[in-house]
Amino acid sequence: MHVVRAAEWARPTDIKEVFRSADILTNERVVFNVGGNKYRLVAAIHYRGKRIYIRFIGTHAEYDRINAATI
């Protein structure tokens, strides 16, 4: 959380510099692997407003049942 609060992300490549395993999706969504890749976290990133909204946290099986680009 401290990393995110201190972040100055202006575009998706800024996130990839810090979190190499993050997946950049459409609709300003980013998927992070959490807990040794046991869980997935989907966040909506609003770069101009410097806001991050957690849209989903769950296991890989739960992640497979959602549409991460629209959740």
Side-chain angles (χ1 to χ4, degrees), residues 7-70:
E8 292 290 332
W9 296 330
R11 58 193 173 280
T13 54
D14 295 338
I15 295 171
K16 290 292 282 187
E17 288 176 9
V18 178
F19 298 101
R20 298 251 182 239
S21 66
D23 294 319
I24 308 300
L25 305 179
T26 59
N27 204 21
E28 296 187 327
R29 299 296 196 270
V30 180
V31 179
F32 298 92
N33 293 315
V34 180
N37 207 20
K38 292 180 183 177
Y39 300 95
R40 296 264 175 126
L41 182 150
V42 178
I45 313 280
H46 295 263
Y47 299 97
R48 286 184 57 182
K50 300 193 184 292
R51 299 279 186 239
I52 298 175
Y53 299 95
I54 304 302
R55 305 300 298 150
F56 171 84
I57 300 173
T59 65
H60 279 268
E62 293 167 330
Y63 173 81
D64 289 340
R65 293 190 299 259
I66 67 163
N67 182 341
T70 60

